[in-house]
Amino acid sequence: MFRTLFAALSLLAMPAIAEEVTTFTLDNGMDVVVIEDHRAPVVVHMVWYRRGSADEPLGQSGVAHFLEHLLFKATDNMSSGELSEVVAANGGSDNAFTSYDYTAYYQRVAADRLPLMMQMEADRMVNLRLSAADIATERDVILEERNMRVENNPSALAREQMMAAQYLNHRYGVPVIGWKHEMESLELEDALSFYDLYYSPNNAVLVVAGDVDPNEVRTLADQYYGVIPPEENLPERLRAEEPPQTAARRLTFVDPRVSQPYLARSYLAPERDSGDQRKAAALVYLAEMLGGSPFSSALGTALQFDAQLAVYTGAGYDADKLDDTTFSLSVAPAEGVALSEVEAAMDAAIAEFLASDIDPTRLESIRTQLRAGQIYARDNVEGLANRYGAALSQGLTVQDVQDWPAVLEAVTAEDIKAVAAEVLDTKRSVTMWVAASEGELK
């Protein structure tokens, strides 16, 4: 007990020290972030492109993720798969990922292998060589990935429908992996068009984190990336905006593979904005207060323990988006409890939360928990690289990232109540019931 108490007091007293971060921009417009961490002779090298699935042309959903796969094919200087083979031969690991707002590629290797990583990554930024066979093979791969991750997962299928209902106009309503019928029609020209326009240094962020010297990174970045010409015709990043949402939407999803019926609700919510992250920070607290620990959250206490109507309650907030994001709730009813009954109880618990004062003890407990998370996150160099890369790809700045712990620290009960009243508006919501049969939809 005393050890736990001492640890908690240490966190309360520990200041959130900013990382050693150096930033600069190459002459061709490529932004560079260097995060120093000299505790181990390891480096994480990442290139983030400021385009993701929400930037795809109409009718070509999935092309950003498709291109991510294709970038592991041949270039003018490497054979297909050679980059990953070289990384593995040097004792490292590599991968890539696509989101709504970005596509990113990374390698984690010994620090003295950084020049080799830059050489290979810069090569595939500009020298990709695709064949018709590459397209056919990799299109089958992404379709099989969709089969495994989505078609065989009723919760994933249900979420796709929910997101499509939540976003009336924005491309966040289209799945990152793509709609299956559009994925099937992706061609070589689609991939090359996206690549030629967006895989450009002036649309990219280079993040290097680990046992590195910023001056040496600058020299290497100039040598390998600085010689790549910028894309002169890079378009402004314009997105379709959501119109005012003035009607609550409801849907039901029935699939015999559903093992546990549940309800989910999402609300349109503000994202982290550069220079003004206060609402986002308050929403982080709201998610914890409504659906964090079942022993202390509003939904957990009311539905799981007091009324014993639910076996699970949760809330979530996705702060990291370029445009309007979502705040979500989910509840799984106990055996014999109807979805209609547990939804009514959820709404009553939300109303009670909105009408009541926030418990200051609970507020400080969440503050300590978030403070600890921010401090512990500094021990993960790859996590830090991801944090900065994602932020700069989504309209935030290095200063916004470094200000975030202080913004979280400054959240008040009044901030939480104000953002709760704004966001928990059913007119901006989608409520979904998920069940194995029509008989469970009652």
Side-chain angles (χ1 to χ4, degrees), residues 242-298:
E242 277 298 293
Q245 296 196 357
T246 58
R249 280 138 285 159
R250 301 187 66 86
L251 64 152
T252 57
F253 185 88
V254 176
D255 190 308
R257 298 172 295 178
V258 174
S259 58
Q260 164 69 54
Y262 66 90
L263 74 87
R265 180 180 294 163
S266 67
Y267 302 85
L268 204 64
E271 75 286 358
R272 286 172 65 184
D273 286 325
S274 183
D276 186 2
Q277 304 178 84
R278 293 171 298 175
K279 284 185 179 181
L283 284 165
V284 171
Y285 280 79
L286 180 63
E288 286 296 320
M289 290 195 160
L290 288 180
S293 167
F295 301 102
S296 55
S297 65

Side-chain angles (χ1 to χ4, degrees), residues 24 46 65-66 74 87 96 240 274 289 317 321 426 442:
F24 52 91
M46 310 188 78
H65 174 250
F66 187 33
V87 171
S274 183
M289 290 195 160
Y317 169 59
K321 289 282 181 62
T426 55
K442 57 182 180 178

